[in-house]
Amino acid sequence: MAAHAATPEELAKSKNCMACHAIDKKMVGPAYKDVAAKYKGQKGAEDKLVQKVLKGGSGTWGAVPMPPNAVSDAEAHALVKWVLSM
C-alpha cells in the first residue's frame, strides 16, 4: 500500500486538478482561494465539496461543468480540507 506522503498540493497536481484550478487566480474553474472564501464558515461545506470533487458538478461557478474526478474518498477529503484552509 502506498504511503500518503504527498502534500495536498502535490496530490492536486498529480490528479490534474491544477489543469483547471489555480490557488489564486481563475482559470477554467475558480481559484481555490475564491472557493475557500465562498464556503468559509458554512456548515457541511467540506462534505458538499467532497461530493462535487467525486461526482462533478455545474452551475455554482458558471456554465463550465467540473467532471467527476478519479480520486479516493480520503484524497477528496484531503484536497477539500486544503482548499478550505486558504
Side-chain angles (χ1 to χ4, degrees):
M1 188 177 214
H4 292 298
T7 66
E9 186 170 2
E10 290 167 337
L11 181 61
K13 288 176 182 170
S14 73
K15 296 296 183 175
N16 289 326
C17 305
M18 304 305 240
C20 294
H21 297 280
I23 290 172
D24 56 3
K25 67 179 188 285
K26 183 183 183 331
M27 292 176 47
V28 175
Y32 289 145
K33 287 186 176 183
D34 293 340
V35 174
K38 180 179 183 96
Y39 291 97
K40 183 178 176 92
Q42 283 190 29
K43 187 172 170 58
E46 182 180 333
D47 289 333
K48 178 180 181 175
L49 293 175
V50 163
Q51 289 307 305
K52 282 199 175 204
V53 170
L54 293 171
K55 297 177 182 171
S58 65
T60 305
W61 297 94
V64 179
M66 181 171 76
N69 292 276
V71 296
S72 71
D73 201 54
E75 289 169 334
H77 276 278
L79 290 165
V80 169
K81 282 180 180 165
W82 173 63
V83 170
L84 291 175
S85 74
M86 294 185 194

